[in-house]
Amino acid sequence: MALIGLLRDNTEHVYNNEFDRLTTWCDENYFKINISGKKNDKGCLKLDGNVIERVHEYKYLGTFIDDILKFDKNTDEIVKKGNQRLYWLRKLNTFKVSNVTLKLFYETVIQSILVLTCMHGL
């Protein structure tokens, strides 16, 4: 579970209120929140009295999200995966594979990555 947001101009209290609501919901629905890892007192967000570690980048459901809600790394990863798979499409083409097979390869191996990644970003 992730609570993602953009902190600006001392808006920590808004996120602390959301964390409190999340904690209450988890308690009511018998979910246990496991806060592990190193604690950092420099952080300003707390959940059940525990300081939440602030990260600059997070991968959630295959999508990279950074602390200013830009998706540059995510876009770079999509391009990288697409280029790697296009290489194999070009290789198949050099073997004089039929257009039907090339299209099938594209739709199952390349297009699926592009569409799936775009759907996660919505």
Side-chain angles (χ1 to χ4, degrees):
M1 186 181 314
L3 185 60
I4 301 169
L6 178 60
L7 293 176
R8 268 191 240 181
D9 303 325
N10 299 321
T11 57
E12 293 86 5
H13 66 282
V14 175
Y15 290 100
N16 282 326
N17 291 340
E18 287 301 313
F19 285 144
D20 291 339
R21 288 182 56 215
L22 175 66
T23 304
T24 302
W25 183 89
C26 288
D27 289 341
E28 291 170 355
N29 292 284
Y30 306 103
F31 281 91
K32 181 175 172 34
I33 299 173
N34 182 13
I35 300 173
S36 59
K38 55 185 177 180
K39 304 282 192 277
N40 185 351
D41 291 336
K42 293 178 183 176
C44 50
L45 298 177
K46 294 185 178 185
L47 181 61
D48 273 348
N50 296 305
V51 175
I52 303 296
E53 180 185 357
R54 184 173 182 177
V55 295
H56 296 289
E57 188 175 270
Y58 186 73
K59 186 175 181 180
Y60 185 70
L61 296 175
T63 301
F64 288 94
I65 303 168
D66 65 13
D67 59 350
I68 55 174
L69 299 180
K70 291 182 78 177
F71 294 88
D72 293 343
K73 174 153 183 165
N74 192 59
T75 303
D76 292 342
E77 290 295 318
I78 294 169
V79 169
K80 180 181 169 184
K81 283 182 184 178
N83 283 333
Q84 288 171 342
R85 289 155 193 226
L86 279 172
Y87 168 81
W88 293 109
L89 184 66
R90 285 188 221 100
K91 275 292 192 192
L92 282 174
N93 193 36
T94 61
F95 296 129
K96 306 291 188 225
V97 175
S98 72
N99 286 342
V100 173
T101 304
L102 291 174
K103 182 180 177 194
L104 181 64
F105 181 85
Y106 173 79
E107 290 172 349
T108 56
V109 177
I110 300 170
Q111 186 180 28
S112 62
I113 292 297
L114 299 176
V115 171
L116 178 67
T117 310
C118 291
M119 295 294 285
H120 278 210
L122 295 178

